[in-house]
Amino acid sequence: MTTATFTAGLSPAEMRKEAWRVAVCGALALAVAMGIGRFAFTPLLPIMLNDGVVNLTSGGWLATANYVGYFIGAMLCVILRGSPTHFIRVGLIATVLLTLGMGLSNAPDLRLLILLRTLSGITSSLVFVFASGWCLQRLSQLRAPALGGVIYCGPGIGILITGLPASTMVAHNWSAAQGWLLFSLLALLLSASVWRTFSGSANTSAPFAEISHQAEPLQVRRQAIELVLIYGVGGFGYIITATFLPVIARQALPGTHWPDLLWPLFGIGVAFGALLATRIPERYDNRLLLAICYVLQAIGVMMGTVLPTASGFALGCLLLGLPFTAITLFAMREARRLYGDHARSLMGWLTAVYALGQIIGPPLATYLVKRTGSFTASLSVAALSLLAGAFLFGLMVRKSRRMQFNAVA
């Protein structure tokens, strides 16, 4: 279906309304898949530790299992063919059932929990890649690509609605199982709200978009490989904080309610940062924007260590959260710049390598905690990796500008 066919008969006002519907439904789908399917584990980890369901080491392995699943799902996205909306719907249903399964697992069987978290990672990745590609393509056809940032508010929304109840759960002595059951209900309600949007035909493929700047295919391939590798660094850089934030904060701020509020604050930063990203004109180099985001996250990662107070952790959460899904938006936008409507495979590779970075983070963190007695060493490594990624993106921008200058000259 071409752009002209898809938008035929729609007035500008109707196109704008449809674009908002697509963007909001995409955000809610990501809220289910990412905010609940992946990150509900973080606010529930302290409760699971208190219940004796896991210890810090096994909790790290559960996080890693989810990231392994995320990697597997991303690789599947590279090779799967078929209706994107079909995979989105399957992923949403599976997220609800797998979250429910975590709540119904009465006995702390680590093997079962690992299986559930691995499958949850696979479904999260499927929804993320297919919903991102489908929604961004629809928005492009509706001439509203700037609304792409709204889609990536979804993970922040999911993080917020799973993080806010955490303090109430602790105050009322909820078990982790009760928390998982509540989140499965939230996932069900959100999935039902977007079901009709993703129930129609998804054969909306547009003609292959020309590669920008008239670049040679070899140059495009080289840029894509560099983008994938450096994007993966970001996965490792943020994940230790994103996995263990409540645990780290409870160690630094014992006896206060601040640790329960930091994860929702991170979610607010994620959602707000995605909205801010929609205000950045598309003419700016995505790689330069990614470099800036990496620097902000590096500072956020170290704030709790440099300033281990409530204000230090709060500022760190915002600096980590604001660029979180903006990074994803800029990377996916760069993929579309390189390959247009045929960028789904590159999006899959980006997600897969990002997941590889995430897989490394939790085991490294728990190992260094055992060796050093704190999270400082692992957070320092994470921050340095983000700064290195920012430097490499800067080199890509410099190289690209030099090539453009030589071409003009």
Side-chain angles (χ1 to χ4, degrees):
M1 182 184 292
T2 65
T3 301
T5 302
F6 178 67
T7 60
L10 294 179
S11 67
E14 290 172 329
M15 290 174 63
R16 186 70 176 171
K17 181 179 179 181
E18 175 65 15
W20 270 104
R21 185 175 73 88
V22 168
V24 170
C25 288
L28 294 179
L30 294 192
V32 173
M34 306 292 289
I36 297 177
R38 292 196 66 201
F39 293 119
F41 175 78
T42 299
L44 288 177
L45 178 57
I47 303 176
M48 295 175 74
L49 291 170
N50 185 65
D51 290 350
V53 177
V54 295
N55 56 33
L56 188 61
T57 300
S58 58
W61 282 114
L62 283 181
T64 298
N66 187 256
Y67 307 143
V68 169
Y70 196 69
F71 170 76
I72 295 171
M75 294 306 298
L76 288 174
C77 291
V78 174
I79 61 175
L80 285 174
R81 295 294 179 266
S83 168
T85 53
H86 168 75
F87 293 113
I88 295 168
R89 295 196 304 271
V90 169
L92 292 174
I93 293 172
T95 299
V96 173
L97 295 177
L98 291 166
T99 307
L100 179 64
M102 290 292 293
L104 296 178
S105 303
N106 295 320
D109 185 342
L110 186 60
R111 291 172 298 180
L112 176 59
L113 295 180
I114 286 176
L115 175 63
L116 291 172
R117 296 306 294 157
T118 302
L119 293 174
S120 183
I122 293 173
T123 59
S124 297
S125 188
L126 289 174
V127 175
F128 175 79
V129 174
F130 282 105
S132 293
W134 187 85
C135 291
L136 288 175
Q137 183 175 336
R138 282 290 180 103
L139 291 177
S140 177
Q141 292 169 335
L142 291 163
R143 300 168 194 161
L147 291 181
V150 174
I151 301 168
Y152 297 105
C153 291
I157 294 170
I159 289 169
L160 183 62
I161 63 176
T162 57
L164 282 176
S167 58
T168 302
M169 292 178 188
V170 173
H172 291 83
N173 296 316
W174 276 40
S175 67
Q178 290 173 309
W180 285 112
L181 292 174
L182 172 63
F183 294 156
S184 68
L185 177 60
L186 288 173
L188 177 63
L189 294 175
L190 290 175
S191 297
S193 71
V194 302
W195 194 256
R196 289 185 61 185
T197 297
F198 298 113
S199 62
S201 172
N203 296 321
T204 58
S205 298
F208 189 91
E210 288 187 10
I211 297 170
S212 59
H213 308 306
Q214 302 299 316
E216 296 294 330
L218 180 60
Q219 294 174 350
V220 171
R221 193 176 305 116
R222 193 171 296 157
Q223 289 180 45
I225 293 171
E226 292 173 346
L227 175 67
V228 166
L229 294 177
I230 305 173
Y231 185 65
V233 172
F236 170 76
Y238 93 95
I239 199 58
I240 294 174
T241 305
T243 300
F244 297 107
L245 174 62
V247 177
I248 297 170
R250 285 177 190 278
Q251 290 180 354
L253 306 170
T256 71
H257 292 294
W258 275 106
D260 297 326
L261 300 176
L262 292 174
W263 187 245
L265 183 61
F266 173 71
I268 291 172
V270 171
F272 189 59
L275 284 177
L276 286 178
T278 66
R279 312 303 301 172
I280 299 176
E282 291 194 46
R283 67 176 180 273
Y284 288 104
D285 194 310
N286 293 307
R287 296 160 298 184
L288 178 60
L289 296 173
L290 285 165
I292 294 171
C293 287
Y294 274 32
V295 172
L296 289 175
Q297 283 204 320
I299 297 171
V301 166
M302 292 306 299
M303 279 303 301
T305 299
V306 176
L307 189 63
T309 63
S311 58
F313 275 104
L315 181 57
C317 285
L318 288 175
L319 290 175
L320 187 71
L322 284 170
F324 178 60
T325 47
I327 286 173
T328 302
L329 172 64
F330 298 143
M332 299 304 164
R333 212 156 68 180
E334 181 67 7
R336 285 186 58 81
R337 182 187 75 83
L338 293 171
Y339 290 113
D341 287 326
H342 292 253
R344 195 185 75 193
S345 289
L346 178 54
M347 290 179 177
W349 280 110
L350 285 167
T351 306
V353 176
Y354 198 76
L356 278 179
Q358 295 174 131
I359 291 169
I360 299 169
L364 175 64
T366 54
Y367 170 76
L368 291 177
V369 167
K370 283 185 174 181
R371 291 292 300 271
T372 66
S374 75
F375 282 91
T376 301
S378 57
L379 293 176
S380 300
V381 173
L384 287 173
S385 71
L386 285 165
L387 291 175
F391 176 74
L392 292 173
F393 272 130
L395 289 182
M396 286 183 68
V397 173
R398 182 181 178 185
K399 179 181 176 181
S400 178
R401 289 179 177 176
R402 185 181 298 164
M403 290 175 60
Q404 291 177 11
F405 177 79
N406 292 336
V408 172

